[in-house]
Amino acid sequence: MQRKAYVPGVAALLAALLAGCTGGSEGGATADDSNPGQPGVATEAVEPGKYRTLPEPCGAVGDKMLDALLPGIEEIADEEQREKAYAGEPTLAYDTDRKVGCRWKVESTEATDHLFVDFERVVSYDGAVSDDSEAERLFAQQVEAADLPEPVASGSGSAASDSPSGSSSLSAGEAGESADAGPSGEPPAGAGGTPSSSASASSSTGASPDATPAEVQPRLLDDLGDEAFVDDEPGNSGPTATRRTVTVAFRTSNVMVTIEYAEQSATLGVVPDSEEMQDKARKLASQLADSLSG
């Protein structure tokens, strides 16, 4: 009899425990990985980013490209110093699979040129957010920080194209006169100089962004990586202005690349040509994007 009384008691205890578990689940308890078979309990891991490593930054830019970007490099007479100039100087890196960079600086009789290339591989630490999505978010912050102006409108009122064939409301002569205007419309140094001067005449400080033609205005780019932009900033203004910095940044999957190309003219009042510097920086960016894709 005692044994018969014991069995029903165990059964009653088990029934109570099962009822409690069922009631807790229906009451809205948070599901976790302990119940993998229950729908919506476990979040499926997102795919990792396309890139797991980064290129060696100082070797990513070829000698021919360095010749174009840093004209003074071929003027270096000492062979050892010239090789050192080509080699560049890597930036300090604690994790070369996550962030690397390289710098070059070369002086010539006409200018001093600086080049900086930075690679960053983005890794998401959120299991619900992919590496690509995290890189997209970070690149959006970079675009916002650049504070790009509104696109220049063509004569018909439509947005000007980013492509070299895109039209502009300015005539050829006007385009030449304002090609070196900064993104805020500030006049470059050398206003009033000859048409052949790198520092051409422009509008007064505070003018609208329309003073800068679409071909050289800081803008988003649609022909580079997954997304990209170019920024263009004179280093200073007034009669002694001599510097310009062009930045081209792009994202390919979970890797972000930033190129900073700066030139300091040796002639007071002459600001380096915006269109020429942008063209060189964009060609480098295109080569780097192709190398990542390959």
Side-chain angles (χ1 to χ4, degrees):
M1 294 296 293
Q2 291 179 349
R3 184 172 180 176
K4 290 181 180 179
Y6 176 78
V7 173
V10 173
L13 177 60
L14 290 174
L17 291 174
L18 289 173
C21 291
T22 303
S25 176
E26 292 177 353
T30 303
D32 57 30
D33 292 339
S34 63
N35 296 312
Q38 185 176 349
V41 170
T43 302
E44 184 178 352
V46 296
E47 288 291 326
K50 178 179 179 180
Y51 300 101
R52 304 295 183 89
T53 60
L54 292 172
E56 197 287 305
C58 295
V61 185
D63 288 356
K64 288 185 178 181
M65 180 58 69
L66 290 173
D67 290 342
L69 291 161
L70 313 169
I73 203 166
E74 294 182 290
E75 298 178 7
I76 302 175
D78 185 271
E79 183 176 353
E80 183 177 346
Q81 290 299 317
R82 188 167 61 252
E83 290 180 357
K84 184 178 180 180
Y86 276 115
E89 181 179 353
T91 57
L92 181 62
Y94 296 101
D95 186 349
T96 55
D97 284 336
R98 292 293 304 276
K99 188 175 178 64
V100 293
C102 191
R103 297 182 183 278
W104 292 262
K105 176 183 176 182
V106 176
E107 297 180 2
S108 70
T109 55
E110 297 182 355
T112 299
D113 292 284
H114 304 257
L115 176 64
F116 171 60
V117 177
D118 178 83
F119 296 86
E120 180 177 358
R121 185 176 67 92
V122 178
V123 176
S124 172
Y125 293 102
D126 186 339
V129 179
S130 68
D131 294 345
D132 282 19
S133 296
E134 179 66 7
E136 184 177 2
R137 183 186 70 82
L138 293 176
F139 192 80
Q141 292 180 351
Q142 194 172 350
V143 173
E144 183 178 2
D147 194 22
L148 306 178
E150 291 295 324
V152 172
S154 66
S156 61
S158 60
S161 169
D162 171 61
S163 64
S165 60
S167 61
S168 170
S169 60
L170 300 178
S171 66
E174 291 171 330
E177 291 176 355
S178 59
D180 287 326
S184 62
E186 295 181 352
T194 62
S196 60
S197 171
S198 297
S200 305
S202 182
S203 59
S204 61
T205 302
S208 69
D210 289 345
T212 303
E215 289 81 1
V216 296
Q217 184 185 33
R219 62 205 181 277
L220 296 175
L221 303 174
D222 57 9
D223 60 350
L224 184 62
D226 294 327
E227 50 186 334
F229 70 87
V230 58
D231 199 5
D232 189 327
E233 292 283 350
N236 46 17
S237 60
T240 60
T242 59
R243 185 181 177 91
R244 180 178 297 281
T245 300
V246 170
T247 300
V248 176
F250 68 91
R251 178 184 70 84
T252 296
S253 185
N254 63 317
V255 168
M256 302 193 304
V257 181
T258 302
I259 297 168
E260 290 182 4
Y261 179 39
E263 183 168 289
Q264 181 88 34
S265 175
T267 305
L268 285 178
V270 175
V271 180
D273 183 71
S274 180
E275 184 174 3
E276 180 181 1
M277 290 186 65
Q278 285 191 30
D279 182 61
K280 291 179 179 180
R282 291 184 64 182
K283 285 181 178 177
L284 172 58
S286 181
Q287 286 190 7
L288 295 178
D290 289 343
S291 67
L292 286 172
S293 299

